[in-house]
Amino acid sequence: MPEATVATVASADAVGGVRGAADAYLAAGYYHAYSVVGLVAVVGVLFVAVAFAAGHLLRPVVPTREKMLTYECGVDPVGEGWAQTQIRYYVYSFLYVIFAVDAIYLFPWATVFAAPGFGGTTLVEMFVFIGFLAVGLLYAWKKGVLEWT
């Protein structure tokens, strides 16, 4: 009887040793995949650092009064630096967000809705989402933003 117990323990240890080696091999492959990603990230950071360093070393440094002036769109600065922005630009961006977000979410929703098992729930969720967008569009319409003058 004791020989059978020793043989059973020895065979279990052999299986465990094989299983441990297989686990170590899989873990090595797992970490190898991430090491490739890490290596690519390090090479990318080094590439950017070398490009910035080369630009810093090779550019001429001759500061003049004209180079230190504020510059925008090829127009010399005139007057104060304070300028008010009209609210209509905010409203245009608001409308853009309404329609862009609508388009971003409707296309993936259409593909999920076609999958089996996603019928009623996704339909209700999308109507709630479109309802929120409709409220935003209604607000813009009531404010008279949609009238182009």
Side-chain angles (χ1 to χ4, degrees), residues 3-28:
E3 292 89 18
T5 306
V6 171
T8 305
V9 170
S11 66
D13 189 33
V15 170
V18 171
R19 191 173 292 148
D23 289 342
Y25 178 74
L26 289 175

Side-chain angles (χ1 to χ4, degrees), residues 14-37:
V15 170
V18 171
R19 191 173 292 148
D23 289 342
Y25 178 74
L26 289 175
Y30 178 77
Y31 290 121
H32 175 71
Y34 279 107
S35 66
V36 170
V37 171

Side-chain angles (χ1 to χ4, degrees), residues 4-148:
T5 306
V6 171
T8 305
V9 170
S11 66
D13 189 33
V15 170
V18 171
R19 191 173 292 148
D23 289 342
Y25 178 74
L26 289 175
Y30 178 77
Y31 290 121
H32 175 71
Y34 279 107
S35 66
V36 170
V37 171
L39 181 65
V40 169
V42 167
V43 168
V45 168
L46 284 175
F47 182 75
V48 171
V50 167
F52 274 115
H56 182 71
L57 292 173
L58 296 175
R59 72 175 180 221
V61 180
V62 184
T64 62
R65 180 171 164 78
E66 290 81 22
K67 288 184 179 180
M68 296 299 165
L69 286 176
T70 305
Y71 179 81
E72 184 176 348
C73 298
V75 178
D76 290 332
V78 177
E80 297 180 20
W82 173 255
Q84 293 182 349
T85 304
Q86 295 183 9
I87 191 67
R88 68 178 175 205
Y89 297 121
Y90 166 75
V91 176
Y92 293 149
S93 65
F94 181 68
L95 287 173
Y96 171 76
V97 168
I98 289 174
F99 292 114
V101 169
D102 186 19
I104 287 172
Y105 284 111
L106 278 177
F107 289 118
W109 171 80
T111 60
V112 169
F113 183 70
F118 289 101
T121 305
T122 54
L123 187 64
V124 169
E125 290 173 353
M126 189 47 64
F127 276 125
V128 169
F129 175 71
I130 291 175
F132 281 123
L133 292 176
V135 168
L137 187 60
L138 183 64
Y139 172 78
W141 180 58
K142 287 288 187 183
K143 288 289 188 177
V145 175
L146 300 178
E147 296 174 9
W148 299 97

